[in-house]
Amino acid sequence: MRDPAADVSVDESPDVPITHVVSVLRERLYGAISCLATLAVLARYTAEDTSGWVRVLDVGISAGGLWAASLLAEYIAHLGAQGHAPRGRDALRMLQSSGQILQAAAIPVLILGVGAVGWLATSTALWIASWFLVIELGFITWLAVRRADMRWWQRIIAVTVLAAAGAAVVIVKMVAH
């Protein structure tokens, strides 16, 4: 199975505007953080008898709603800035950027699906999906800073800070749960 985080990389040829690369990375981070926040809330309200399919649906609806909002916002912003609806390559880039939100939720949904079919407890699947997203946040941050004009230790700090923030969300929910 292909890792959706691998889709974060964008064709870096000169005809790809830097604003598109920024948009793709921003939407992927936003999608991962939002999915992590959703999982953290769901973990609090998941009992032993909670169906894994309900949690798959919860995350799917959350990610789908966020994706639709992102797509609509981008469409309206394009109308305002360009005076017309996005066409051709602009429309494809808009879909690629906003689609990062759905891709960020893909593996967590698969993990929850494993719980839904009974191979894991639903609560265990929620925690595994949450920790996966913490790792993904670190990976996405590394993709973002790997070529930045920063020293190696500054890159490590950037990755560590974002991953630690994600881990803090999970740990606080574990303690509160």
Side-chain angles (χ1 to χ4, degrees):
M1 165 147 258
R2 190 177 148 148
D3 178 8
D7 292 337
V8 170
S9 63
V10 177
D11 178 13
E12 296 175 4
S13 62
D15 63 332
V16 176
I18 192 69
T19 56
H20 179 61
V21 175
V22 169
S23 178
V24 167
L25 287 168
R26 179 189 62 240
E27 294 300 309
R28 186 53 168 257
L29 281 167
Y30 188 55
I33 291 166
S34 296
C35 189
L36 180 58
T38 299
L39 291 172
V41 169
L42 293 176
R44 178 160 175 80
Y45 298 102
T46 298
E48 282 187 40
D49 62 340
T50 303
S51 167
W53 293 115
V54 170
R55 292 303 175 239
V56 167
L57 187 61
D58 287 336
V59 172
I61 289 171
S62 176
L66 186 59
W67 168 77
S70 172
L71 194 58
L72 179 62
E74 183 73 20
Y75 181 84
I76 291 170
H78 190 91
L79 279 174
Q82 302 292 331
H84 58 81
R87 297 184 289 257
R89 188 171 283 174
D90 286 340
L92 290 173
R93 287 183 176 152
M94 184 178 77
L95 288 169
Q96 182 187 24
S97 293
S98 65
Q100 295 299 314
I101 293 168
L102 298 175
Q103 291 178 10
I107 290 189
V109 165
L110 286 174
I111 293 168
L112 293 173
V114 168
V117 297
W119 295 345
L120 287 172
T122 301
S123 60
T124 303
L126 280 166
W127 293 115
I128 292 170
S130 296
W131 285 111
F132 170 81
L133 284 169
V134 170
I135 293 166
E136 183 175 316
L137 284 170
F139 179 68
I140 295 165
T141 304
W142 178 253
L143 287 176
V145 301
R146 74 183 188 273
R147 293 192 188 126
D149 187 20
M150 302 167 78
R151 298 188 188 283
W152 65 269
W153 56 269
Q154 292 171 318
R155 289 186 192 116
I156 291 172
I157 288 172
V159 171
T160 303
V161 166
L162 188 58
V169 168
V170 176
I171 291 167
V172 166
K173 283 299 178 178
M174 289 174 83
V175 170
H177 189 57

